[in-house]
Amino acid sequence: IFSAAKFEPYELNGGLVSAVAGKNYMLIAADTRLSRGYEILSRSHADGRIWRASSGRENINFKNNNNSNNEEYLPLSNVYDGAFIGTSGCHADCDALKRLIRCEISTHSSWVAGGGYLSASNTANLLGSTLYQRRTFPFYAFCVLAGLDRETGTGAVHVYDAIGSHERVAVAAAGSGREMLQPILDRLFSTSNLREVHNDDNALEDAHNGNNNQHQHQHQRQKDGNAIAAADQRRGSSLVLSPPVKTHVDCDVDEAVNLLVRGYRSVAERDIGVGDEIIVCIMKADVDGNSSCGGSVKVKRFPLKQH
């Protein structure tokens, strides 16, 4: 008896992408491993994992450089034009999604008088609607989007599922190992958790010294520092709800990069689909008040375990 082979349209090729929104910057990062089960297909897969969706003609190519500090700068004509998108999952679907989004943005810029561009929030809505259009046979692509808000200069980060549901957050992760990386980043970037640990240490010290200040230390503990009070979630007379949490972190860009790399190295020790190298793209807003929107994106590389 012969039976037809089971049709399996999807393949998980690993990859872990993440993004962080700061007060005047954004980060987007990904590892460079492309795998199929226990087989490693590539150790330098970067161009298909992080790519720029904008009306500009810049082609961001993450080529291996010979700089001793593993840093390079890639020029951009407008830092507020579009956004960076990180994709993981099925490589074929990620590549098809990349071509489709770029085609949509190119069509928009061609039809709009003066060559208008899409902001980061508009690009986020475009990506969500594109994924939702394929909900009956979805792209097996898990995305994060990172850009800069033109009005405030803060980072704008959105995280997606495979059918386009998305949310603006301060720290996002998607792909292989996301279940491990997301709580690590939440823990590292939450100052309230650090204060809670500090209070617990004081409580243990007082208990050792015979002081009973348990009630006092419980009173000192605070809720999540990223949470916004319910009374502050409404804006104006229209009672429009703001996000219930902060959509950016408070640390500077160097500290954010260090925390992000710590999280990736922890996950790479435990997930076979994550490894080889981390590529971190850093884009800052214009804080000098210059009228020009041009700039560059800084690309940094960090090694990961090559198991």
Side-chain angles (χ1 to χ4, degrees):
I1 299 176
F2 297 96
S3 60
K6 183 179 178 181
F7 175 63
E8 182 57 54
Y10 297 124
E11 180 180 76
L12 182 61
N13 297 123
L16 179 60
V17 293
S18 61
V20 178
K23 289 183 177 180
N24 62 346
Y25 66 89
M26 72 84 185
L27 305 178
I28 186 167
D31 72 308
T32 60
R33 174 169 294 184
L34 184 69
S35 60
R36 181 195 295 129
Y38 291 100
E39 179 183 3
I40 297 177
L41 305 178
S42 175
R43 295 185 182 272
S44 58
H45 179 68
D47 290 335
R49 194 148 289 167
I50 299 178
W51 44 277
R52 181 160 172 79
S54 68
S55 59
R57 299 292 184 240
E58 302 98 349
N59 291 322
I60 306 299
N61 296 319
F62 301 101
K63 298 179 180 179
N64 293 327
N65 59 348
N66 296 323
N67 296 339
S68 58
N69 55 359
N70 289 325
E71 294 182 4
E72 59 181 327
Y73 290 86
L74 304 176
L76 299 177
S77 59
N78 189 344
V79 296
Y80 299 106
D81 179 9
F84 280 88
I85 298 177
T87 56
S88 63
C90 180
H91 173 53
D93 282 359
C94 292
D95 195 54
L97 178 63
K98 173 182 176 180
R99 295 196 304 267
L100 182 58
I101 292 294
R102 285 183 169 177
C103 180
E104 292 284 350
I105 294 178
S106 177
T107 303
H108 173 271
S109 62
S110 299
W111 278 94
V112 173
Y117 64 88
L118 293 178
S119 64
S121 60
N122 291 335
T123 307
N125 292 332
L126 172 63
L127 177 59
S129 61
T130 303
L131 292 171
Y132 186 71
Q133 289 173 0
R134 285 285 301 269
R135 61 191 179 277
T136 57
F137 191 12
F139 288 113
Y140 197 45
F142 305 95
C143 307
V144 295
L145 179 145
L148 292 175
D149 192 333
R150 177 66 181 270
E151 296 180 356
T152 62
T154 59
V157 168
H158 293 254
V159 60
Y160 296 79
D161 64 6
I163 58 173
S165 299
H166 62 100
E167 178 186 10
R168 183 172 177 179
V169 294
V171 182
S176 179
R178 182 249 178 203
E179 295 80 3
M180 289 184 284
L181 182 62
Q182 187 67 59
I184 291 175
L185 295 182
D186 290 340
R187 175 69 172 83
L188 293 176
F189 282 99
S190 177
T191 56
S192 64
N193 287 337
L194 297 178
R195 286 196 299 268
E196 182 178 345
V197 172
H198 180 67
N199 292 333
D200 288 344
D201 291 340
N202 291 339
L204 292 175
E205 182 180 357
D206 291 339
H208 178 72
N209 295 332
N211 299 330
N212 187 12
N213 295 330
Q214 181 178 3
H215 176 73
Q216 178 182 357
H217 290 294
Q218 288 179 351
H219 179 70
Q220 290 178 355
R221 295 181 185 179
Q222 302 181 12
K223 295 182 179 180
D224 188 355
N226 292 328
I228 299 177
D232 298 331
Q233 293 181 24
R234 299 180 181 272
R235 298 180 296 182
S237 59
S238 61
L239 301 181
V240 178
L241 288 177
S242 300
V245 295
K246 290 182 180 180
T247 54
H248 64 81
V249 298
D250 296 326
C251 59
D252 58 20
V253 62
D254 293 331
E255 183 180 359
V257 171
N258 292 334
L259 295 177
L260 195 61
V261 173
R262 284 178 58 187
Y264 266 86
R265 286 175 174 167
S266 298
V267 176
E269 294 287 341
R270 297 164 178 84
D271 194 314
I272 195 173
V274 180
D276 297 320
E277 194 176 35
I278 313 171
I279 290 183
V280 182
C281 298
I282 307 167
M283 190 165 65
K284 291 186 178 181
D286 180 18
V287 297
D288 298 328
N290 298 327
S291 59
S292 175
C293 298
S296 63
V297 56
K298 183 179 181 180
V299 180
K300 304 185 70 173
R301 297 173 181 267
F302 301 91
L304 282 178
K305 186 175 181 180
Q306 296 188 359
H307 42 53

